[in-house]
């Protein structure tokens, strides 16, 4: 009887463990099935490098280059803002801050992570968008930069908490050794602790970027959604995610537009897969 | 055993009732522009006649016609007239499309109140929205870049504006919105951006215009008069960016359908038209 119970529980846990992989595979297969159908109407190079996106015209123009570049532009901008601030914040929390401030900062960062993205998007729409318009004297504030600033806020909690973990797990003896050799506090951080934690910090950065690429609601509200190839960060852009969210509701099931949106989903899946695998490689490097 | 018989009895009663409900139900399908209007009519009508069940779904005018032809709806909503091809297809299936004009729709072209430009021709509008005209200077305004705002491609209004303003009603037209046009997800988002941006221009249903935006006067061509998007001008057909909204039925309306359509065309029904930001058929 006990053996049977053991057996059942073991299999149940095995099933739960496999379930998540099973779902991922199912989702991926579904994406492929629906998305690859678009290549009956356009060739993959036409789809990936086409410069115009007019999905409901007759015949439809299904080129997603402006969307890919839009997503990359916003992501790059967000990375440039959030990585230096995020890593510096993690260093301060892990190495410099007194215990009390450390606790306050940590809970503050967690709170930032808990704000829904639609709320951040709304705040961005009424604050950052007019600011950017007046600071840079632009015709409109709905630009890639507005999206990048808002997404930087969203990536920060991920970067700070994982980077802080990485810094914390550097053995105490490293720091003590550096200080004993006459290094100042900053020299110890800069020359010893940061390099020792570098792979963990890289993983933090990658996961932060992964969050940014997949973000939808906030970018849809503040980047203007114009499907034009961006020449500067002060232009409106349309991202891959916003395109899917804005158009899926009305796309006729089984139409070229519908398949094209699933193909956009595949592109997004591939990008975030690469980013996550990158993060994983860095994390494993750290373990060795 | 007894309980089984009892439950079978209830089941029988229930199924009789539900099939009766099917006979009392009307399926209304079609234009996304009209979904809210038809939904409001349906809700009010069902308050008066609780025994009737009206189901309203969108999908677009084309979807409405194809369901009318295949017999999966009783009323097709449409923001365009039925095509010859669709009539031929319907007649082949023994369906005789019967057209009823139920309301009108007018689109206002709006700019910021600080913008000195007061009036535009349809040709100038097409130029602005396709990106051929890029500066307000060319239209007698300040030296300022034009920021073009449009609804997202999923919107019926986007499609209507493209077909009737950009392409001037020519079905073979290939004009598109300028790629640099900002696509916003709602009429409200366009209204907000217009209110804070002196260089912006956008369009939406005329019910949305308030003091923070200015609706420009529009002329069919340079020789015509410039007209404001008012209810009177839409009813008389003088304002060029307006369209009738239709119901299509199989044959002239009878019984329950006639009762519902009479309600839509009645004073109360047309009151709802105004409340949902459309234009009534007459004052």
């Amino acid at each position: 009887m006990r053996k049977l119970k053991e057996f059942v529980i073991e299999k149940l846990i095995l099933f739960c463990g496999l379930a998540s992989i099973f779902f991922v595979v199912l989702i991926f297969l579904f994406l492929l099935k629906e998305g690859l159908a678009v290549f009956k109407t356009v060739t993959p190079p036409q789809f990936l490098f086409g410069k115009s996106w007019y999905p409901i015209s007759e015949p439809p123009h299904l080129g997603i280059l402006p969307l890919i570049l839009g997503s990359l532009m916003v992501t790059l901008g967000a990375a440039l803002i959030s990585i230096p601030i995020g890593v510096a914040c993690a260093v301060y929390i892990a190495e410099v801050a007194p215990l009390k401030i450390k606790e306050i900062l940590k809970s503050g960062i967690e709170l930032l992570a808990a704000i829904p993205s639609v709320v951040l998007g709304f705040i961005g729409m009424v604050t950052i968008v007019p600011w950017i318009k007046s600071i840079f004297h632009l015709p409109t504030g709905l630009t890639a930069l507005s999206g990048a600033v808002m997404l930087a806020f969203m990536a920060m909690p991920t970067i700070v908490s994982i980077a802080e973990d990485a810094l914390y797990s550097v053995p105490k003896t490293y720091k003590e050794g550096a200080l004993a050799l006459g290094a100042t506090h900053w020299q110890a951080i800069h020359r010893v602790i940061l390099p020792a934690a570098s792979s963990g910090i890289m993983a933090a950065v990658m996961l932060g970027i992964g969050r940014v690429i997949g973000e939808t609601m906030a970018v849809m509200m503040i980047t203007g959604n114009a499907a034009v190839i961006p020449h500067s960060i002060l232009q409106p852009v349309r991202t891959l995610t916003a395109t899917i969210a804005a158009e899926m509701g009305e796309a006729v099931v089984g139409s070229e537009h519908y398949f094209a949106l699933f193909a956009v989903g595949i592109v997004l899946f591939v990008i975030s897969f690469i980013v996550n695998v990158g993060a994983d490689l860095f994390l494993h490097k750290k373990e060795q | 055993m007894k309980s089984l018989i009892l439950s079978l009895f209830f089941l029988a009663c229930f199924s009789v009732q539900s099939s009766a409900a099917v006979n009392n139900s009307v399926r209304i399908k079609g234009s996304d522009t009209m979904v809210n209007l038809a939904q409001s009519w349906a809700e009010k009508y069902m308050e008066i006649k609780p025994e009737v069940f009206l189901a309203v779904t969108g999908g677009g005018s084309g979807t409405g016609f194809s369901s009318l032809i295949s017999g999966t709806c009783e009323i097709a909503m449409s923001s365009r007239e039925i095509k010859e091809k669709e009539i031929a297809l319907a007649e082949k299936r023994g369906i005789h499309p019967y057209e009823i004009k139920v309301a009108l729709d007018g689109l206002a072209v709006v700019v910021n109140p600080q913008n000195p430009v007061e009036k535009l021709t349809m040709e100038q509008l097409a130029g602005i929205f396709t990106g051929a005209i890029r500066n307000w200077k060319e239209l007698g305004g300040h030296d300022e870049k034009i920021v073009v705002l449009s609804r997202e491609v999923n919107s019926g209004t986007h499609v209507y504006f493209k077909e009737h303003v950009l392409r001037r009603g020519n079905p073979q037209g290939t004009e598109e919105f300028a790629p640099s046009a900002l696509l916003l997800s709602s009429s409200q988002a366009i209204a907000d951006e217009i209110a804070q941006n002196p260089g912006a221009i956008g369009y939406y249903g005329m019910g949305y215009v308030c003091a923070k935006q200015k609706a420009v006067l529009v002329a069919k061509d340079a020789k015509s008069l410039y007209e404001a998007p008012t209810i009177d001008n839409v009813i008389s057909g003088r304002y060029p960016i307006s369209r009738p909204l239709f119901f299509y039925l199989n044959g002239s309306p009878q019984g329950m359908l006639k009762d519902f359509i009479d309600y839509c065309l009645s004073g109360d029904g047309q009151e709802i038209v105004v409340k949902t930001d459309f234009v009534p058929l007459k004052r």
Side-chain angles (χ1 to χ4, degrees):
Chain A
M1 190 62 208
R2 255 181 76 183
K3 258 202 170 150
L4 181 75
K5 198 173 156 192
E6 197 82 344
F7 177 79
V8 168
I9 290 177
E10 224 171 69
K11 291 298 162 201
L12 211 63
I13 291 174
L14 176 74
F15 173 76
C16 294
L18 290 182
S20 62
I21 292 182
F22 180 65
F23 290 141
V24 169
V25 170
L26 270 191
I27 288 170
F28 187 63
L29 287 180
F30 185 75
L31 260 183
L32 280 184
K33 177 180 155 285
E34 300 285 303
L36 291 181
V38 78
F39 298 123
K40 281 181 206 153
T41 36
V42 290
T43 61
Q46 271 172 354
F47 181 70
L48 289 174
F49 303 114
K51 288 181 188 158
S52 52
W53 175 255
Y54 288 113
I56 56 166
S57 292
E58 209 48 61
H61 296 256
L62 301 169
I64 63 166
L65 188 64
L67 313 181
I68 296 178
L69 291 179
S71 269
L72 290 183
M73 180 78 94
V74 172
T75 306
L76 197 72
L80 287 180
I81 299 168
S82 62
I83 292 171
I85 301 180
V87 172
C89 182
V91 168
Y92 180 73
I93 291 177
E95 294 298 329
V96 185
L99 198 62
K100 216 171 175 181
I101 295 181
K102 192 169 161 169
E103 289 307 314
I104 294 173
L105 273 178
K106 272 180 108 169
S107 42
I109 298 269
E110 270 156 33
L111 213 61
L112 188 60
I115 300 174
S117 72
V118 63
V119 174
L120 279 177
F122 188 65
I123 293 172
M125 206 161 80
V126 293
T127 57
I128 292 177
V129 169
W131 286 342
I132 284 182
K133 176 171 158 30
S134 61
I135 291 171
F136 296 100
H137 300 290
L138 296 174
T140 173
L142 297 167
T143 58
L145 181 62
S146 321
V149 171
M150 226 55 236
L151 287 183
F153 282 117
M154 267 174 246
M156 215 103 82
T158 313
I159 296 180
V160 173
S161 54
I162 297 175
E164 196 251 344
D165 270 352
L167 289 167
Y168 190 75
S169 62
V170 173
K172 273 264 154 5
T173 46
Y174 285 28
K175 188 178 170 189
E176 283 160 5
L179 293 178
L181 286 171
T184 62
H185 196 175
W186 168 241
Q187 281 169 336
I189 292 171
H190 172 60
R191 296 282 173 82
V192 177
I193 297 170
L194 273 180
S198 64
S199 56
I201 291 173
M202 275 310 288
V205 167
M206 294 296 243
L207 289 174
I209 290 175
R211 169 110 209 259
V212 168
I213 288 179
E215 174 49 42
T216 307
M217 206 53 223
V219 284
M220 187 157 93
M221 291 168 83
I222 58 181
T223 55
N225 299 329
V228 36
I229 292 182
H231 297 293
S232 97
I233 200 163
L234 296 174
Q235 268 184 346
V237 294
R238 188 178 183 86
T239 63
L240 294 164
T241 47
T243 303
I244 298 179
E247 298 176 12
M248 194 46 112
E250 299 297 327
V252 179
V253 176
S255 67
E256 289 143 342
H257 186 195
Y258 174 86
F259 294 136
L261 290 179
F262 270 100
V264 170
I266 295 178
V267 172
L268 256 178
F269 186 91
V270 168
I271 294 175
S272 57
F273 184 75
I274 292 171
V275 170
N276 272 313
V277 167
D280 231 41
L281 286 180
F282 279 114
L283 274 179
H284 281 293
K285 202 170 130 202
K286 178 178 137 196
E287 273 159 22
Q288 289 161 8
Chain B
M1 193 59 206
K2 209 172 164 186
S3 67
L4 184 71
I5 292 171
L6 208 65
S7 60
L8 274 178
F9 174 72
F10 275 120
L11 206 66
C13 289
F14 188 71
S15 58
V16 166
Q17 213 177 18
S18 61
S19 69
V22 167
N23 292 336
N24 258 342
S25 77
V26 177
R27 291 162 298 178
I28 305 171
K29 219 177 208 179
S31 164
D32 286 313
T33 314
M34 296 171 68
V35 166
N36 285 339
L37 174 62
Q39 187 66 45
S40 313
W41 272 333
E43 279 167 14
K44 288 285 180 236
Y45 185 75
M46 284 190 282
E47 274 174 26
I48 308 168
K49 297 264 167 78
E51 71 277 11
V52 180
F53 180 72
L54 299 161
V56 182
T57 40
S61 302
T63 317
F65 287 129
S66 58
S67 343
L68 185 72
I69 293 167
S70 61
T72 53
C73 75
E74 280 72 38
I75 299 177
M77 307 179 275
S78 175
S79 52
R80 62 168 168 83
E81 281 175 27
I82 191 165
K83 292 177 191 160
E84 289 295 325
K85 218 165 66 185
E86 286 161 336
I87 296 179
L89 202 63
E91 295 292 346
K92 215 184 278 173
R93 300 275 190 97
I95 305 256
H96 311 291
Y98 183 88
E99 175 186 294
I100 299 163
K101 200 192 276 186
V102 289
L104 301 169
D105 184 17
L107 289 184
V109 175
V110 285
V111 296
N112 188 284
Q114 288 172 30
N115 192 324
V117 175
E118 297 280 347
K119 51 188 188 178
L120 295 165
T121 64
M122 289 289 271
E123 206 172 327
Q124 285 172 325
L125 281 178
I128 293 170
F129 281 90
T130 52
I133 303 175
R134 292 161 185 275
N135 198 308
W136 284 111
K137 202 168 56 179
E138 298 169 49
L139 302 164
H142 300 305
D143 181 10
E144 193 166 20
K145 224 182 129 197
I146 300 178
V147 177
V148 177
L149 308 179
S150 163
R151 290 286 306 279
E152 272 288 354
V153 295
N154 62 12
S155 146
T157 320
H158 171 107
V159 175
Y160 172 75
F161 202 83
K162 183 169 86 185
E163 286 172 356
H164 287 79
V165 181
L166 273 59
R167 297 184 177 172
R168 309 297 304 277
N170 171 14
Q172 265 86 49
T174 53
E175 289 86 355
E176 295 281 358
F177 279 99
S180 57
L182 305 188
L183 301 187
L184 304 185
S185 48
S186 67
S187 297
Q188 193 54 48
I190 292 180
D192 290 345
E193 180 66 14
I194 295 274
Q196 55 160 305
N197 190 338
I201 184 167
Y203 62 87
Y204 42 69
M206 38 181 271
Y208 259 102
V209 184
C210 66
K212 286 180 182 167
Q213 302 97 24
K214 182 174 76 176
V216 292
L217 309 183
V218 181
K220 220 169 272 166
D221 46 55
K223 282 172 253 152
S224 311
L225 288 172
Y226 290 90
E227 302 286 355
T230 61
I231 290 182
D232 286 331
N233 280 341
V234 170
I235 292 173
S236 68
R238 281 196 297 268
Y239 183 71
I241 321 175
S242 66
R243 55 179 167 174
L245 302 175
F246 301 106
F247 273 175
Y248 279 87
L249 290 83
N250 177 18
S252 59
Q254 308 286 338
M256 193 170 54
L257 286 178
K258 181 167 171 21
D259 197 50
F260 173 62
I261 286 167
D262 286 344
Y263 170 77
C264 296
L265 299 176
S266 71
D268 288 350
Q270 295 291 305
E271 191 82 356
I272 292 171
V273 172
V274 179
K275 271 189 200 144
T276 42
D277 293 334
F278 291 104
V279 179
L281 291 172
K282 47 181 178 282
R283 274 281 195 200

